[in-house]
Amino acid sequence: MPLPKPPTKRADMLTDVDFTSQPKAAKTTVKSTSKSAPSGNARQNVAAILSAPTPAPTLELVKPAKAPAAAPTATVSEAPRPTRKASRKPTTPVKTAATPIVADKGPGSPAAKPTSTAPTAAPVSYTGPSVRRKRDVGGPAKLFVLDTNVLLHDPMSLFRFDEHDIYLPMITLEELDGHKKGMTEVARNARQVSRELDTLATDLSTRQQVDPASGIALAKTGHIEAKGKLYFQTTGLAVELPVGLPQGKADNQILGVVQALRTQHHGREVVLVSKDINMRIKARALGLTAEDYFNDKTLEDGDLLYTGVQALAADFWERHAKGMESWQQGGITFYRITGPAVPTLMVNQFVYLESPGVTPWYGKVTEITGKSAVLRTLKDYANNKHSAWGVTARNREQNFALNLLLDPECDFVTLTGSAGTGKTLITLAAALSQVLDERRYTEIIVTRVTVPVGDDIGFLPGTEEEKMSPWMGALDDNLEVLARGDSTAGEWGRAATTELVRSKIKIKSLNFMRGRTFLNKFVIIDEAQNLTPKQMKTLITRAGPGTKIVCLGNLAQIDTPYLTEGSSGLTYAVDKFKGWPHGGHVTLARGERSRLADFASEVL
């Protein structure tokens, strides 16, 4: 064990009382030739011990505990307190570990070096939190070679590979430099990646460049989830590609780098990560391991998406009857239950119980506390007495959706479903009912992503609302349906109603949403499946006090080429907001447009 540092303050001579109160001295090999003085004369005992030939001019204050020969440390002992009143302030009890504390001979003598009577042990290694990177059970960490499109797709992808290492070819940096100009989403991502790389490649303490060959810790900028290292291509690599792959193309150069790295690292798996399908096909044709970038996907399978609806078992009331409480408030019945179904429930989730020959029961989870949950009955919007702007629910899911849309405590609603399920119609009806009848919101704002299904028709003339009008054909169709609801008003009455309705609806473009704040607005985001998670966050954070946001979409009709059901912004919002007390989601299952549309959705 290494010796401790010498004391910073020189010790004083011991008094008579202090010395006599110490335990017996440890056995030494030095034999005194003279008879010791009587035990009462403490000063003569001190002089005899000091005059004895010892290895170091020290006095032992505390006797170290006896330990086995193989023990590297000594037991901690404590000096007893004085038994009688001393003339001077007694010394405090001293704790010692491997080395006893020593006292100096007196003023003017050389500083005494602390010695240890315990056997010398090897230096103890540090046993604190380890900074060593975790490894997979199967072997060492993988080396992921990132394609440029991965960085442009997700600027934070550098920190999404856990304990594995990242390798960036030089051609990737060149392509990043070519995409950084402009105001598009790709250009913004390229600039963000460049800033992250600049921060990683600079020593934060000395503001000097670090050695890229030894690897740069990805966790140095605060991303503690990334335990791997970042490597740049600093030297040329021997590339051997087939003749059919020209060397000048960037994709082929990256493939050559992956092949050279696999040759250099025999015991390590080198994986190419790319969003380009053809790139992955060429890599697999060359015998290289290639994968898609999966960390941007909220769900691996779209069937696992939260539906917001759960069917109860036929014996639900019998299994949860014990300890159940029920009460009524404002015409609504509440049930507090405890049982096996509680762990599977979420706040604002709809539950139903339908059995043959029995009146169906529909409810919503309003509270979950520990092992108990509170259910409440719903308002039946299938009845004409409870219609919203003349629109009634035609099926169970539409009834659930209207309960969310007309609930003032629910600030965020997401509705998904196939074509013809009535998402836009019931949302617009609920919005008009709360804007014109209840005056809960001041106006309706409708927006959507302008992604064409086929070829783009080019620039559109007019103002912002006129440019957006071709994209709002669904809105016009539903307004026409709502205007026909009042058959007694006549032609003039319907025209006046249509004009009033249109005055309360504002059509906005997503391109001008940055920095806006909506106060007391009913915001409808149509075709939300074409939004990226970042765009979805930008829109939802525009909500001010008293604003309700409704997202509508069909995950089977994604028109954006780089989005899937798992990576869509609508999927991201549904998954993140599930269980929030002021948000809800319903997946509409039945189509109500026409029998032709229903049959086409099933067979085509």
Side-chain angles (χ1 to χ4, degrees), residues 49-68:
I49 295 175
L50 292 177
S51 61
T54 56
T58 60
L59 283 178
E60 294 184 1
L61 295 186
V62 181
K63 176 183 176 182
K66 295 182 180 181

Side-chain angles (χ1 to χ4, degrees), residues 121-149:
V124 181
S125 60
Y126 176 69
T127 58
S130 175
V131 297
R132 188 176 181 181
R133 294 183 294 112
K134 296 181 180 179
R135 302 293 185 184
D136 281 347
V137 179
K142 298 179 182 179
L143 183 62
F144 286 102
V145 181
L146 299 189
D147 195 2
T148 312
N149 49 43

Side-chain angles (χ1 to χ4, degrees), residues 347-416:
V347 178
N348 279 349
Q349 185 180 24
F350 292 95
V351 292
Y352 66 93
L353 181 59
E354 294 179 347
S355 300
V358 181
T359 304
W361 182 85
Y362 305 114
K364 185 177 74 169
V365 183
T366 59
E367 179 185 345
I368 296 179
T369 307
K371 297 182 180 180
S372 64
V374 178
L375 309 180
R376 54 159 289 183
T377 56
L378 300 178
K379 199 172 185 180
D380 186 15
Y381 287 101
N383 193 334
N384 290 327
K385 296 180 180 180
H386 301 149
S387 62
W389 200 256
V391 175
T392 57
R394 292 189 178 184
N395 54 55
R396 179 181 60 230
E397 284 76 18
Q398 285 188 0
N399 189 20
F400 294 160
L402 284 172
N403 274 273
L404 283 178
L405 294 170
L406 295 171
D407 186 2
E409 296 297 324
C410 193
D411 300 331
F412 183 73
V413 180
T414 52
L415 300 180
T416 60

